Amino acid sequence: TPRYHSDGTLAAFEAAPGFPPRVAAPHLADLAPCPTHSRLLAPQSEWGEMFLVETGRGCSRGCRFCAAGFVYRPPRERDLSDLWTQAEPGVMAKRKIGLVGAAVSDHPAIRELCRKILSAGGTLGISSLRADSVDAELLQLLAQGGVRSVALAPEAGSDRLRRVINKCLTRDDLAKAAVAVSRAGIRQLRLYFMVGLPTETMDDVAEIPRLAKFLEHSVIKDSLGKKHLGLITLSLSSFVPKPFTPFQWTPFLAVAELKKRLKLVAREFHGVKAVRVHTDLPKWAYVQALLARGDRRVADILAAAHKHGWTRAFTESPINPDFFTLRERRPDELFPWDFIDHGVAKGYLWEEYQNALAVQETP
């Protein structure tokens, strides 16, 4: 049962009789007894007929925007024999094996697994790679496995902003990875970015196209002009603050401002055939932000949206949705999700938020 302050913020919540005041989220200490792979394969499904295999759960990197990195602590990796047991049926069924996880290229046995799949006649697909954990060997294995496009996630255009979000990647790290991708014969590169990150300036946004051009020039320089990336795809999304992360206190950027920043990047590549720019719709990111950090009062808005659409739901709601999306939270504010214990102290998340604002990285 919640109680609210006069300004609408949460004052307290009380557990019903027989229920604990805090609930500990259950985490599997050992993933091996619980295989996680595709069960249904159908041509019209999201992943088509790719056979997906989870390589591990959680991530050791500590990127400050990432819910999975904090909610699924501690990181746990499946061992090679466990992974092969899951992948083998997919290989035998002649399916492409899709390796998924928060940081697939960080897995210590990723190269051995790829070799095992290839030696059995399988093909490979992979989620985005960490620029500082890929090497020539891994990329050659992926190329042999039929991978034609590799995704890297700089997330931000400038080194400064990557320090804010604790991405721990420099422009040179990304250039080395792009060159390694090209040397492996993979000519399509996808780059994931976000706009609207905490402390972001228009110059940070302008660094996104500059970085993409720098990576292309790095490949050309390394090959003495003989090679270039055939296609660079920039995937731009609007940053949505998530619970249980250091950025749970920060406001979502206004939709109009997000549109302006996305257009700035797209404009830089207008008419450039070798670069594609894909952007999300900030109005839907706004809805995500509402659902991510709203409390039970958002349920009424959600029910109204189901009946009448989001525009009418927003205009007729007695609660302004901006209260949940655009408002910066107080340091001591009680959050609707604070009764859930993921094993990470709220005080630690606040310290990480302060480190972000001070542009300090955490190992």
Side-chain angles (χ1 to χ4, degrees):
T1 303
R3 288 190 289 107
Y4 299 99
H5 294 297
S6 58
D7 64 359
T9 58
L10 190 61
F13 35 61
E14 297 169 358
F19 289 89
R22 283 177 66 77
V23 177
H27 288 87
L28 286 169
D30 181 11
L31 301 181
C34 301
T36 308
H37 56 77
S38 294
R39 296 291 182 179
L40 296 172
L41 297 167
Q44 300 304 313
S45 63
E46 182 68 24
W47 293 101
E49 300 193 38
M50 186 182 291
F51 189 88
L52 302 180
V53 175
E54 181 194 51
T55 60
R57 198 162 296 177
C59 179
S60 63
R61 297 289 187 160
C63 298
R64 292 171 178 138
F65 58 85
C66 180
F70 288 93
V71 168
Y72 295 112
R73 289 189 177 192
R76 288 141 290 156
E77 294 163 335
R78 298 179 183 275
D79 63 33
L80 179 60
S81 61
D82 177 27
L83 288 170
W84 175 243
T85 298
Q86 292 186 71
E88 188 177 22
V91 174
M92 296 302 104
K94 305 297 182 185
R95 309 290 190 181
K96 178 182 285 189
I97 306 302
L99 304 176
V100 295
V104 175
S105 57
D106 282 352
H107 195 291
I110 187 66
R111 291 157 189 79
E112 290 87 343
L113 177 62
C114 289
R115 280 195 288 268
K116 214 166 176 58
I117 292 169
L118 292 176
S119 65
T123 55
L124 293 164
I126 199 161
S127 55
S128 68
L129 303 171
R130 278 284 306 198
D132 56 355
S133 65
V134 297
D135 56 20
E137 181 186 13
L138 177 58
L139 289 166
Q140 286 291 347
L141 289 168
L142 295 177
Q144 290 171 33
V147 171
R148 298 291 174 262
S149 176
V150 161
L152 303 175
E155 310 295 2
S158 68
D159 283 353
R160 184 200 73 83
L161 195 52
R162 281 192 292 277
R163 288 196 297 273
V164 169
I165 64 177
N166 210 44
K167 190 67 186 179
C168 300
L169 284 178
T170 66
R171 194 169 78 141
D172 289 340
D173 292 331
L174 293 160
K176 288 176 185 175
V179 167
V181 168
S182 175
R183 287 180 177 178
I186 299 172
R187 298 192 63 241
Q188 295 187 30
L189 182 65
R190 180 180 290 271
L191 300 171
Y192 292 121
F193 292 98
M194 289 182 284
V195 298
L197 287 162
T199 80
E200 181 184 80
T201 65
M202 291 305 283
D203 191 55
D204 289 316
V205 179
E207 284 294 328
I208 293 174
R210 290 176 196 149
L211 177 60
K213 292 172 184 177
F214 174 72
L215 299 185
E216 170 71 352
H217 292 158
S218 298
V219 170
I220 295 171
K221 181 179 178 181
D222 175 76
S223 65
L224 301 177
K226 296 176 183 177
K227 285 186 178 181
H228 61 89
L229 292 168
L231 178 66
I232 299 177
T233 302
L234 273 62
S235 291
L236 304 174
S237 60
S238 304
F239 167 67
V240 175
K242 299 294 196 303
F244 305 111
T245 71
F247 291 154
Q248 62 183 347
W249 284 272
T250 197
F252 177 75
L253 196 62
V255 168
E257 183 61 29
L258 287 168
K259 286 181 179 178
K260 187 198 305 183
R261 299 184 184 199
L262 291 170
K263 284 180 181 176
L264 185 154
V265 179
R267 201 164 50 235
E268 283 290 318
F269 295 107
H270 182 70
V272 180
K273 293 183 179 179
V275 179
R276 292 178 185 168
V277 180
H278 295 164
T279 65
D280 70 355
L281 290 173
K283 68 175 183 179
W284 292 123
Y286 179 94
V287 172
Q288 290 181 43
L290 177 66
L291 298 177
R293 291 189 301 167
D295 61 26
R296 67 187 66 202
R297 292 170 291 182
V298 172
D300 294 332
I301 303 177
L302 187 59
H306 175 64
K307 287 184 179 179
H308 309 298
W310 283 104
T311 301
R312 184 172 165 185
F314 285 155
T315 55
E316 295 182 2
S317 170
I319 296 174
N320 185 351
D322 290 352
F323 176 79
F324 298 110
T325 55
L326 305 184
R327 180 177 61 85
E328 184 169 13
R329 307 304 203 260
R330 297 192 312 267
D332 61 345
E333 185 163 334
L334 182 66
F335 296 138
W337 51 87
D338 277 349
F339 68 93
I340 303 172
D341 179 9
H342 279 290
V344 179
K346 189 176 180 180
Y348 173 75
L349 297 177
W350 175 256
E351 288 175 9
E352 277 296 279
Y353 184 34
Q354 299 313 295
N355 287 337
L357 298 178
V359 199
Q360 293 180 356
E361 290 179 327
T362 299

